[in-house]
Amino acid sequence: MTLNFTYTGSPARIVFGAGVRHQLAAAIDRLGCSRAFILSTPQQAGEAETLAASLGGRAAGVYAHATMHTPVEVSEAAVAAARAAGADCLVAVGGGSTTGLGKAIAYRTDLPQIVIPTTYAGSEVTDILGQTADNVKTTLRDPKVLPEVVLYDPELTLGLPVGLSITSALNAMAHAAEGLYAEDRNPISTLMAVEGLAALHGALPGIVADPRDLEARSGALCGAWLCGTVLGTVAMALHHKLCHTLGGSFDMPHAETHAVLLPHTIAYNAVAVPDLLAPVARIFGAPPGAALHDFATTLHAPTALRELGLKEADLDRAAAIAVSKPYPNPRPFDEAAIRALLGAAWAGDRPET
Ligand code: NAD
């Protein structure tokens, strides 16, 4: 096959290492800013306050109201609070929900963003913003939304509960696995996907064994950066579409849903593109769907949608919604194929391919 691709690198500054959160004041100065508006969830307000206190007068305020699914009314209230505080930049400390709030404010104000991620979701390196209005979640891509600076400090992930660590990491792995067969993939996105998968494969057993193992945490966070960058670079397919459907229409939890579906969506596509998914088989074992199921089981991750509270009676409607709009996928599908896939994921079956 001859190569044919377009590659656009994300113009972001990435700083990685234990303790780099202490470089936040310097990162604010480097942006030419002096009034940082610091965002977190209510659960992580303590971390946001600690960061604010370390900024020597550069903190314009702490706003600890980030919540799941980036509701538009929360974002609009946050924009008003940032304006009232005279903020000239945003600092998001937390997971994808907090990063999402920062992106939503940046989308409306064009304020520069610094993100200090504490999960493996990867949102900090994408130009994607998901928002919810009237119970409908929509997604947009805009350069304004891409954070300017990311400070990856694995010390901040030491307290991430093991269960969330694993499901969040499986969420990251899904970005990389789908990146391998993305129709707009390129040699750089494939390199990052393979390295990201290998890093998470190497690190996650260590986190289960000892959640405060800084080396394992560092490997996982680096893997998450690589996988997130793949998400920000190429187009996702069936797996992300199904997760979006289950999250948006059935209020299923984000990272856990990714974790459960990943073996099934990869097993489905492995039939059509075994060569493109060969790195997954090399890293995790063959066949790739079964190997990903076994990996998740070893890590005590959830493996069945029914464990997450989805009703069997909802599967028909989920399949119908998932096929209602066309999108690219390496293996063609119809409603019956998706219903079968969802049925297997609901039951927690081990895929055969
Ligand atoms: P999250 O941000 O919702 O965090 C879950 C909970 O864990 C929160 O209460 C949070 O405060 C807490 N938490 C986070 N880090 C912690 C830590 N180190 N220690 C203790 N508690 C911690 O979860 P998430 O999975 O990171 O993000 C999910 C959201 O991100 C979804 O809404 C999803 O759509 C979005 N997302 C967006 C993109 C994108 O590119 N736009 C990519 C991935 C995910």
Side-chain angles (χ1 to χ4, degrees), residues 71-87:
V72 168
E73 55 280 11
V74 173
S75 303
E76 284 169 356
V79 167
R83 288 205 169 113

PDB file of all heavy atoms in Angstrom, residues 71-87:
ATOM      1  N   PRO A  71     -22.029  20.578  31.521  1.00  0.00           N
ATOM      2  CA  PRO A  71     -23.322  21.226  31.241  1.00  0.00           C
ATOM      3  C   PRO A  71     -23.111  22.697  30.871  1.00  0.00           C
ATOM      4  O   PRO A  71     -22.304  23.390  31.497  1.00  0.00           O
ATOM      5  CB  PRO A  71     -24.075  21.113  32.582  1.00  0.00           C
ATOM      6  CG  PRO A  71     -23.291  20.163  33.422  1.00  0.00           C
ATOM      7  CD  PRO A  71     -21.885  20.174  32.927  1.00  0.00           C
ATOM      8  N   VAL A  72     -23.851  23.167  29.870  1.00  0.00           N
ATOM      9  CA  VAL A  72     -23.673  24.532  29.363  1.00  0.00           C
ATOM     10  C   VAL A  72     -23.924  25.567  30.464  1.00  0.00           C
ATOM     11  O   VAL A  72     -23.220  26.577  30.548  1.00  0.00           O
ATOM     12  CB  VAL A  72     -24.613  24.746  28.147  1.00  0.00           C
ATOM     13  CG1 VAL A  72     -24.697  26.204  27.769  1.00  0.00           C
ATOM     14  CG2 VAL A  72     -24.111  23.928  26.971  1.00  0.00           C
ATOM     15  N   GLU A  73     -24.901  25.307  31.355  1.00  0.00           N
ATOM     16  CA  GLU A  73     -25.199  26.315  32.382  1.00  0.00           C
ATOM     17  C   GLU A  73     -24.037  26.459  33.365  1.00  0.00           C
ATOM     18  O   GLU A  73     -23.736  27.566  33.828  1.00  0.00           O
ATOM     19  CB  GLU A  73     -26.534  26.038  33.094  1.00  0.00           C
ATOM     20  CG  GLU A  73     -26.730  24.692  33.738  1.00  0.00           C
ATOM     21  CD  GLU A  73     -27.108  23.556  32.783  1.00  0.00           C
ATOM     22  OE1 GLU A  73     -27.041  23.724  31.551  1.00  0.00           O
ATOM     23  OE2 GLU A  73     -27.452  22.478  33.301  1.00  0.00           O
ATOM     24  N   VAL A  74     -23.331  25.356  33.652  1.00  0.00           N
ATOM     25  CA  VAL A  74     -22.150  25.440  34.531  1.00  0.00           C
ATOM     26  C   VAL A  74     -21.059  26.251  33.832  1.00  0.00           C
ATOM     27  O   VAL A  74     -20.412  27.127  34.433  1.00  0.00           O
ATOM     28  CB  VAL A  74     -21.632  24.020  34.897  1.00  0.00           C
ATOM     29  CG1 VAL A  74     -20.314  24.095  35.664  1.00  0.00           C
ATOM     30  CG2 VAL A  74     -22.682  23.261  35.712  1.00  0.00           C
ATOM     31  N   SER A  75     -20.864  25.998  32.541  1.00  0.00           N
ATOM     32  CA  SER A  75     -19.824  26.709  31.788  1.00  0.00           C
ATOM     33  C   SER A  75     -20.124  28.209  31.743  1.00  0.00           C
ATOM     34  O   SER A  75     -19.222  29.034  31.898  1.00  0.00           O
ATOM     35  CB  SER A  75     -19.737  26.173  30.358  1.00  0.00           C
ATOM     36  OG  SER A  75     -19.491  24.787  30.399  1.00  0.00           O
ATOM     37  N   GLU A  76     -21.394  28.555  31.544  1.00  0.00           N
ATOM     38  CA  GLU A  76     -21.726  29.982  31.434  1.00  0.00           C
ATOM     39  C   GLU A  76     -21.541  30.698  32.783  1.00  0.00           C
ATOM     40  O   GLU A  76     -21.042  31.824  32.825  1.00  0.00           O
ATOM     41  CB  GLU A  76     -23.132  30.155  30.851  1.00  0.00           C
ATOM     42  CG  GLU A  76     -23.070  29.879  29.349  1.00  0.00           C
ATOM     43  CD  GLU A  76     -24.415  29.747  28.655  1.00  0.00           C
ATOM     44  OE1 GLU A  76     -25.451  29.796  29.350  1.00  0.00           O
ATOM     45  OE2 GLU A  76     -24.393  29.583  27.414  1.00  0.00           O
ATOM     46  N   ALA A  77     -21.899  30.014  33.846  1.00  0.00           N
ATOM     47  CA  ALA A  77     -21.672  30.605  35.179  1.00  0.00           C
ATOM     48  C   ALA A  77     -20.172  30.767  35.428  1.00  0.00           C
ATOM     49  O   ALA A  77     -19.724  31.776  36.004  1.00  0.00           O
ATOM     50  CB  ALA A  77     -22.300  29.711  36.255  1.00  0.00           C
ATOM     51  N   ALA A  78     -19.380  29.800  34.966  1.00  0.00           N
ATOM     52  CA  ALA A  78     -17.924  29.871  35.156  1.00  0.00           C
ATOM     53  C   ALA A  78     -17.319  31.009  34.337  1.00  0.00           C
ATOM     54  O   ALA A  78     -16.409  31.701  34.808  1.00  0.00           O
ATOM     55  CB  ALA A  78     -17.285  28.534  34.774  1.00  0.00           C
ATOM     56  N   VAL A  79     -17.832  31.234  33.129  1.00  0.00           N
ATOM     57  CA  VAL A  79     -17.348  32.353  32.303  1.00  0.00           C
ATOM     58  C   VAL A  79     -17.605  33.668  33.040  1.00  0.00           C
ATOM     59  O   VAL A  79     -16.718  34.530  33.137  1.00  0.00           O
ATOM     60  CB  VAL A  79     -18.044  32.365  30.918  1.00  0.00           C
ATOM     61  CG1 VAL A  79     -17.787  33.684  30.191  1.00  0.00           C
ATOM     62  CG2 VAL A  79     -17.561  31.189  30.080  1.00  0.00           C
ATOM     63  N   ALA A  80     -18.802  33.816  33.600  1.00  0.00           N
ATOM     64  CA  ALA A  80     -19.143  35.054  34.323  1.00  0.00           C
ATOM     65  C   ALA A  80     -18.208  35.227  35.523  1.00  0.00           C
ATOM     66  O   ALA A  80     -17.697  36.332  35.777  1.00  0.00           O
ATOM     67  CB  ALA A  80     -20.606  34.999  34.775  1.00  0.00           C
ATOM     68  N   ALA A  81     -17.945  34.134  36.243  1.00  0.00           N
ATOM     69  CA  ALA A  81     -17.064  34.222  37.427  1.00  0.00           C
ATOM     70  C   ALA A  81     -15.632  34.557  37.010  1.00  0.00           C
ATOM     71  O   ALA A  81     -14.950  35.344  37.684  1.00  0.00           O
ATOM     72  CB  ALA A  81     -17.107  32.901  38.196  1.00  0.00           C
ATOM     73  N   ALA A  82     -15.170  33.981  35.900  1.00  0.00           N
ATOM     74  CA  ALA A  82     -13.798  34.262  35.427  1.00  0.00           C
ATOM     75  C   ALA A  82     -13.683  35.730  35.024  1.00  0.00           C
ATOM     76  O   ALA A  82     -12.679  36.395  35.329  1.00  0.00           O
ATOM     77  CB  ALA A  82     -13.455  33.349  34.244  1.00  0.00           C
ATOM     78  N   ARG A  83     -14.712  36.242  34.369  1.00  0.00           N
ATOM     79  CA  ARG A  83     -14.684  37.667  33.954  1.00  0.00           C
ATOM     80  C   ARG A  83     -14.695  38.566  35.185  1.00  0.00           C
ATOM     81  O   ARG A  83     -13.928  39.531  35.276  1.00  0.00           O
ATOM     82  CB  ARG A  83     -15.888  37.972  33.058  1.00  0.00           C
ATOM     83  CG  ARG A  83     -15.748  37.343  31.677  1.00  0.00           C
ATOM     84  CD  ARG A  83     -16.567  38.093  30.622  1.00  0.00           C
ATOM     85  NE  ARG A  83     -16.204  37.619  29.291  1.00  0.00           N
ATOM     86  CZ  ARG A  83     -17.018  36.934  28.493  1.00  0.00           C
ATOM     87  NH1 ARG A  83     -18.254  36.648  28.869  1.00  0.00           N
ATOM     88  NH2 ARG A  83     -16.592  36.558  27.296  1.00  0.00           N
ATOM     89  N   ALA A  84     -15.571  38.220  36.155  1.00  0.00           N
ATOM     90  CA  ALA A  84     -15.678  39.038  37.370  1.00  0.00           C
ATOM     91  C   ALA A  84     -14.352  39.048  38.135  1.00  0.00           C
ATOM     92  O   ALA A  84     -14.009  40.047  38.783  1.00  0.00           O
ATOM     93  CB  ALA A  84     -16.799  38.500  38.257  1.00  0.00           C
ATOM     94  N   ALA A  85     -13.610  37.944  38.041  1.00  0.00           N
ATOM     95  CA  ALA A  85     -12.329  37.851  38.761  1.00  0.00           C
ATOM     96  C   ALA A  85     -11.190  38.522  37.985  1.00  0.00           C
ATOM     97  O   ALA A  85     -10.071  38.609  38.493  1.00  0.00           O
ATOM     98  CB  ALA A  85     -11.988  36.377  39.005  1.00  0.00           C
ATOM     99  N   GLY A  86     -11.475  38.967  36.756  1.00  0.00           N
ATOM    100  CA  GLY A  86     -10.428  39.597  35.938  1.00  0.00           C
ATOM    101  C   GLY A  86      -9.369  38.604  35.502  1.00  0.00           C
ATOM    102  O   GLY A  86      -8.188  38.955  35.336  1.00  0.00           O
ATOM    103  N   ALA A  87      -9.766  37.336  35.271  1.00  0.00           N
ATOM    104  CA  ALA A  87      -8.815  36.284  34.906  1.00  0.00           C
ATOM    105  C   ALA A  87      -8.211  36.540  33.530  1.00  0.00           C
ATOM    106  O   ALA A  87      -8.901  36.998  32.610  1.00  0.00           O
ATOM    107  CB  ALA A  87      -9.519  34.930  34.908  1.00  0.00           C
TER     108      ALA A  87
END
